[in-house]
Amino acid sequence: MKKLQGNAAAKVCAWVLLLAAAFGAGVFGVRALISSVSITRSSWQDSSRFYNAMDNRQWELVEGIELTQALERLERQIAEGTGSPLAYADAEALREEKALVEEYFSRENTWFRFRVLTDDGQTLLGTNLNDDEAITRAVREVRYFAFELRAEEETDPPLKLVLEYGVPEDIETGSIDDEFYRIWVTWMNDRANFDQYLTGFLNLGALSLLALIWILWTAGHRSGEESVVTTWQEQIFFDVYAAVMIAGIVWLAFGTIWTAERLYWSSGNVYDLMNEDVDPFYKLGFMGAAALFAAGVACGALLLRTLAVRLKARCLARTTLLGRVIGWTVRTVHDFVHFLPFTWKMVLGFLVYVIVTFFLVVEGVYNGAFMLMYLCLQLALVLFLAWWAYGYHRLRQGTKTIAGGDLEYQIDTQRMPYDLRLQAEDLNNISAGLSAAVDEKMKSERFKAELITNVSHDLKTPLTSIINYVNLLKSTEQTDPKAAEYIEVLDRKSQRLKKLTEDLVEASKASTGVLSVTREKIGMSQLIDQALGEWEEKLTDKKLTLVANLPEGETWVYADGRHLWRVIDNLLSNCAKYAMEGTRVYLDLERGKGQVALSVKNVSRDPLNVPAERLMERFVRGEESRSTEGSGLGLSIARSLTELQGGAFGLAVDGDLFKATVTLPQAN
């Protein structure tokens, strides 16, 4: 394979094949391009050649009419004896020109049909139609042209005329050989030969492409050399080389198109087509256009070849002028500002940019080279800012990811600006430290939850035995009043201890998300009515007045009925335990904006010297003496259960006023 790539004879053959195939493709391509105009037209009279020929005939006919008017004026002057001495010679010359025009526009010499009328359409001044022939049936499309003839006297108005003209759609082969016949013949030939031209162009183009692929594959390889060999082309800066080559390709492309356009119009010119001496030049025109096309292909092949060699040798960046300038600038600036503080780097960089920009703009007014340098500076600045912004974007995305909870995420610091890389490395280190701390905290939380669950489970067995024995003692007859009182205290305290144990287990499960949640459409008003029915008597015993404000109709929420009942029960239980006697307890239910909010307000019996957020923690109560029967778990359980159902739980404390709010999504 290496030997095949380094074969010099094969490379020469590939170049010869490329240029020959490109030349042939150029010939067929130009012919196909010219013929394509006929393919895209449904009639030969829709072509640009036809329109151009019709315009020429129109103006020639108008000039002939003006010539006739001038001849009539001159003959009238001769008859009146007012003409100049040369009037007879002028008249004779005009008669000869008129005869030529009449012969040129005669029915036997052209397919052009016309008639000249006055603007009122009544007076026929001239035509080459037969007496019984209508112009609308004689031609495919009637065209109209209005013009004026200058009157003999300046005071007389000009004569307004209308020219009606056209060409028949069907032309008999070989009957009249004029420009329209030639255009028709060319149109027919183009339609007949277009497929051949296009096929030839595609086949030779594919052959050129194969030769180009071979040239690119073998570029840079030489027999006996293991590494890629560069030539004199690779010694030229690639951006300069590419600019020259692309300019040449564009110039050659425009030259090819311009030549094809000239050939197109020449192929519709009757004078050129009828002149046999023009035919060799016409064919040379196709060869010239093909040569321009092949030259453009050669320029493109040379550009792609040197690009392939530079890529294979991995020297593209250092063989470009712009790359060297940017590389040197970046290295110099980097070495200078590497150890400067970030603020000073920004200030110094901005000052340098302002000074250099001002100098280049001022000098660029008189010298184009400085303006080019100014543009290069702006481009370099844009590239630097884009690189810095991309690095900052990566830093921000990494920060958001870490802040979102993914503490194991590591920001990629490769090819990142120096200062941003330092910041990213610090964040990566913080992330590792936070991850270790969070793991330790989670381990501690799991240990606490397991401890509470295990202790509660271990307490259940002896507590159940105590309750059972207390119940047995209550069923026996006690003669000593003190014994009955002691049994009653044991019963009350054991039930409280049982409730505390159950609350501990439920609080642990709720906070760790172990509890199962089945959310469904539930009537909130009905659930509140049931809770009020159960707690109304207990609140009345506490001398509390319950004021419920519920909206009309049912209020539907999307929640777990069992957990929601526990939340409402805990809130009402909290009021019964801590509300001041003789006050009111307000229970309000509101709905709107896709949410349902339940608020419970009461006046605390004891001063609330604890922040609202702390009241929702475990084992925290509003009074510090802990003389009440509460465990400090009710609000914590209510908060956890509410959040498990996708809701929000909030507390507000204003003096002795206590307000708890439960917000849940509304179910339509």
Side-chain angles (χ1 to χ4, degrees):
M1 189 66 68
K2 290 287 186 182
K3 185 177 180 181
L4 185 62
Q5 283 183 312
N7 193 316
K11 293 181 180 180
V12 174
C13 292
W15 275 104
V16 173
L17 179 62
L18 172 67
L19 295 177
F23 180 81
V27 173
F28 283 106
V30 172
R31 287 187 175 272
L33 179 63
I34 296 175
S35 302
S36 64
V37 180
S38 300
I39 296 297
T40 58
R41 300 291 187 267
S42 60
S43 172
W44 66 279
Q45 293 192 14
D46 294 331
S47 65
S48 302
R49 295 167 177 159
F50 179 79
Y51 292 145
N52 187 53
M54 289 290 284
D55 290 340
N56 292 336
R57 282 280 184 167
Q58 166 196 301
W59 289 112
E60 290 172 351
L61 183 57
V62 171
E63 291 175 357
I65 295 173
E66 292 176 347
L67 184 148
T68 302
Q69 183 193 34
L71 178 59
E72 292 176 354
R73 186 183 301 111
L74 188 59
E75 289 177 342
R76 190 179 302 109
Q77 292 175 358
I78 294 173
E80 295 174 355
T82 59
S84 63
L86 299 177
Y88 291 98
D90 294 339
E92 187 63 25
L94 290 177
R95 290 190 190 97
E96 293 178 359
E97 292 184 16
K98 178 181 178 183
L100 293 175
V101 171
E102 290 177 349
E103 182 182 2
Y104 182 62
F105 282 95
S106 66
R107 186 182 183 87
E108 292 76 16
N109 294 325
T110 183
W111 290 102
F112 185 80
R113 302 290 181 261
F114 72 92
R115 65 176 186 170
V116 182
L117 307 172
T118 57
D119 61 344
D120 56 4
Q122 300 299 322
T123 305
L124 181 64
L125 301 182
T127 183
N128 65 352
L129 298 172
N130 293 328
D131 295 337
D132 57 347
E133 187 178 16
I135 192 170
T136 55
R137 294 193 298 272
V139 301
R140 176 177 178 267
E141 179 184 0
V142 180
R143 298 170 180 268
Y144 301 91
F145 178 71
F147 62 99
E148 296 179 351
L149 294 180
R150 182 172 58 86
E152 295 184 10
E153 300 294 336
E154 294 183 357
T155 58
D156 295 338
L159 178 61
K160 297 182 179 180
L161 301 178
V162 176
L163 172 62
E164 299 177 351
Y165 60 98
V167 176
E169 174 68 22
D170 299 325
I171 293 180
E172 299 177 6
T173 304
S175 57
I176 300 175
D177 193 0
D178 65 348
E179 69 269 32
F180 299 106
Y181 174 75
R182 292 291 176 174
I183 292 173
W184 176 74
V185 170
T186 304
W187 184 77
M188 295 294 291
N189 292 334
D190 287 344
R191 292 178 69 88
N193 298 326
F194 175 76
D195 291 341
Q196 299 178 6
Y197 296 152
L198 183 60
T199 302
F201 173 75
L202 294 177
N203 290 337
L204 291 175
L207 187 60
S208 301
L209 181 60
L210 292 176
L212 177 61
I213 293 174
W214 175 271
I215 290 171
L216 297 180
W217 181 61
T218 59
H221 297 281
R222 185 180 298 172
S223 297
E225 299 287 346
E226 291 294 331
S227 60
V228 177
V229 179
T230 59
T231 62
W232 61 268
Q233 295 183 74
E234 286 70 54
Q235 304 303 318
I236 304 173
F237 288 119
F238 179 74
D239 37 10
V240 177
Y241 188 91
V244 173
M245 284 297 182
I246 292 174
I249 293 171
V250 172
W251 183 83
L252 292 170
F254 276 110
T256 304
I257 296 173
W258 181 86
T259 306
E261 184 180 5
R262 300 281 73 77
L263 291 171
Y264 171 79
W265 290 112
S266 297
S267 63
N269 191 323
V270 66
Y271 304 109
D272 291 344
L273 293 175
M274 294 177 67
N275 189 351
E276 295 181 357
D277 296 335
V278 177
D279 186 62
F281 294 100
Y282 185 69
K283 293 179 179 178
L284 286 175
F286 281 104
M287 297 180 66
L292 293 174
F293 179 79
V297 172
C299 291
L302 287 173
L303 178 61
L304 293 177
R305 181 206 167 278
T306 186
L307 176 61
V309 172
R310 294 169 198 255
L311 291 176
K312 291 178 181 179
R314 299 180 180 179
C315 62
L316 178 61
R318 67 173 181 269
T319 57
T320 58
L321 179 61
L322 183 61
R324 288 194 176 185
V325 171
I326 293 177
W328 177 84
T329 304
V330 169
R331 287 192 300 271
T332 303
V333 174
H334 178 268
D335 294 340
F336 178 73
V337 302
H338 181 71
F339 297 104
L340 286 177
F342 181 74
T343 304
W344 282 106
K345 291 178 183 178
M346 296 297 293
V347 173
L348 182 61
F350 181 74
L351 290 177
V352 171
Y353 169 75
V354 170
I355 294 172
V356 174
T357 301
F358 178 78
F359 173 77
L360 292 177
V361 170
V362 172
E363 294 296 329
V365 176
Y366 308 100
N367 192 334
F370 286 98
M371 186 56 67
L372 180 60
M373 293 174 60
Y374 169 77
L375 296 177
C376 293
L377 175 63
Q378 304 307 311
L379 178 60
L381 178 63
V382 169
L383 294 176
F384 172 76
L385 292 178
W387 173 58
W388 204 94
Y390 177 66
Y392 181 74
H393 172 73
R394 289 163 56 191
L395 179 62
R396 286 289 300 154
Q397 291 298 114
T399 304
K400 288 182 180 179
T401 303
I402 295 173
D406 188 1
L407 300 180
E408 296 181 358
Y409 182 80
Q410 292 290 304
I411 302 174
D412 184 12
T413 59
Q414 291 185 354
R415 293 181 295 277
M416 187 177 283
Y418 177 75
D419 295 287
L420 296 182
R421 185 170 67 252
L422 293 180
Q423 183 68 20
E425 291 174 352
D426 291 340
L427 284 174
N428 288 338
N429 295 333
I430 293 175
S431 174
L434 284 175
S435 179
V438 170
D439 290 342
E440 187 66 26
K441 183 177 181 181
M442 292 298 297
K443 182 179 179 181
S444 176
E445 288 292 331
R446 286 193 298 269
F447 175 76
K448 287 164 56 177
E450 292 175 359
L451 177 62
I452 292 174
T453 302
N454 293 335
V455 170
S456 300
H457 183 269
D458 293 339
L459 288 175
K460 276 187 176 181
T461 301
L463 181 59
T464 302
S465 300
I466 293 173
I467 293 175
N468 290 336
Y469 281 112
V470 170
N471 290 333
L472 290 175
L473 289 174
K474 288 173 63 177
S475 62
T476 60
E477 184 177 354
Q478 300 293 331
T479 57
D480 188 356
K482 287 290 184 180
E485 182 179 350
Y486 296 156
I487 293 173
E488 183 64 27
V489 172
L490 284 173
D491 182 42
R492 187 171 64 254
K493 297 299 183 182
S494 61
Q495 292 296 333
R496 181 182 176 187
L497 184 57
K498 179 183 178 182
K499 183 67 168 55
L500 176 59
T501 304
E502 292 174 350
D503 287 348
L504 275 172
V505 174
E506 187 168 5
S508 176
K509 291 181 178 181
S511 62
T512 56
V514 177
L515 291 176
S516 61
V517 178
T518 304
R519 300 173 66 188
E520 57 186 354
K521 187 177 181 180
I522 297 174
M524 187 77 164
S525 299
Q526 181 180 2
L527 199 64
I528 292 174
D529 288 337
Q530 295 175 2
L532 293 179
E534 182 174 331
W535 279 94
E536 186 175 6
E537 183 177 352
K538 298 177 182 178
L539 294 175
T540 302
D541 293 341
K542 296 288 185 176
K543 299 180 182 180
L544 297 173
T545 303
L546 184 62
V547 180
N549 297 318
L550 304 180
E552 296 183 0
E554 186 57 81
T555 301
W556 301 97
V557 294
Y558 192 56
D560 186 308
R562 180 169 52 89
H563 296 327
L564 182 57
W565 169 265
R566 183 62 190 274
V567 172
I568 299 173
D569 184 75
N570 280 11
L571 291 177
L572 294 177
S573 174
N574 190 73
C575 294
K577 294 175 183 177
Y578 303 111
M580 180 182 292
E581 296 182 357
T583 60
R584 297 182 180 88
V585 175
Y586 293 91
L587 191 147
D588 300 320
L589 183 64
E590 298 178 353
R591 60 192 177 196
K593 297 182 180 180
Q595 292 182 331
V596 174
L598 170 64
S599 63
V600 178
K601 294 180 289 186
N602 66 273
V603 178
S604 175
R605 178 176 63 248
D606 300 308
L608 295 175
N609 51 9
V610 179
E613 186 65 27
R614 181 164 165 72
L615 284 174
M616 289 185 288
E617 297 179 2
R618 299 178 190 174
F619 308 108
V620 176
R621 287 179 283 179
E623 48 87 24
E624 297 294 339
S625 64
R626 307 184 66 89
S627 59
T628 57
E629 61 181 5
S631 63
L633 293 172
L635 295 180
S636 176
I637 294 173
R639 178 185 183 180
S640 299
L641 293 178
T642 302
E643 292 175 351
L644 281 176
Q645 299 174 82
F649 186 89
L651 288 182
V653 176
D654 186 3
D656 293 337
L657 179 63
F658 174 88
K659 178 181 178 181
T661 304
V662 177
T663 304
L664 293 170
Q666 185 176 0
N668 295 328

